[in-house]
């Protein structure tokens, strides 16, 4: 499963998770920073990414339009990059099951 991290998350997360989420990337590495959410949404959809963000706008879009792409909503408030890495690594099994589920569009992690 490939994750696409939104700009509200650090791009320094990618090297720390790419071993378990191969081909994951950050919007910064795709020159999509400060892009409209719709553009990021469409990119993720076209390239089979799961969007990861703390942005409630993606949450709303996912509720309205469903998937693809799937969306992982990190409801963690202001926290360290290390905490985000920990959440993504510790929830690997849950995230993998979510990625393969046919009906689910949103996964909320805290």
């Amino acid at each position: 499963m490939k994750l696409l991290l939104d700009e509200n998350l650090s791009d320094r997360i990618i090297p720390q998770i790419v071993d378990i989420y191969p081909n994951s990337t950050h919007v910064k590495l795709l020159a999509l920073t400060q892009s409209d959410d719709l553009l990021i949404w469409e990119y993720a959809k076209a390239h089979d990414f799961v969007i990861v963000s703390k942005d409630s706008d993606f949450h709303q879009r996912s509720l309205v339009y469903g998937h693809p792409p799937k969306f992982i909503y990190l409801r963690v408030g202001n926290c360290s990059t290390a905490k985000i890495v920990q959440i993504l690594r510790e929830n690997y099994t849950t995230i993998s099951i979510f990625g393969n589920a046919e009906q689910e569009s949103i996964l909320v992690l805290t």
Side-chain angles (χ1 to χ4, degrees), residues 10-109:
S10 173
D11 60 328
R12 293 176 291 148
I13 294 170
I14 296 299
Q16 299 178 67
I17 63 166
V18 75
D19 61 318
I20 59 174
Y21 301 104
N23 301 310
S24 293
T25 193
H26 189 277
V27 293
K28 179 179 177 182
L29 301 172
L30 300 171
L32 291 173
T33 51
Q34 300 181 355
S35 293
D36 184 79
D37 288 346
L38 178 59
L39 181 61
I40 294 168
W41 182 270
E42 291 300 324
Y43 185 91
K45 184 176 180 178
H47 295 91
D48 198 31
F49 280 99
V50 174
I51 298 171
V52 181
S53 181
K54 296 191 297 184
D55 185 347
S56 62
D57 291 344
F58 283 115
H59 181 247
Q60 294 300 319
R61 185 177 299 278
S62 191
L63 288 172
V64 172
Y65 298 108
H67 67 279
K70 291 191 174 223
F71 173 61
I72 298 173
Y73 186 27
L74 299 177
R75 294 194 61 201
V76 295
N78 191 13
C79 67
S80 69
T81 296
K83 180 66 176 173
I84 301 294
V85 170
Q86 178 185 2
I87 290 167
L88 293 173
R89 294 187 75 82
E90 287 180 354
N91 287 283
Y92 174 76
T93 301
T94 301
I95 292 169
S96 294
I97 291 169
F98 165 70
N100 293 321
E102 299 226 0
Q103 299 298 321
E104 297 177 30
S105 296
I106 304 168
L107 175 63
V108 179
L109 297 177

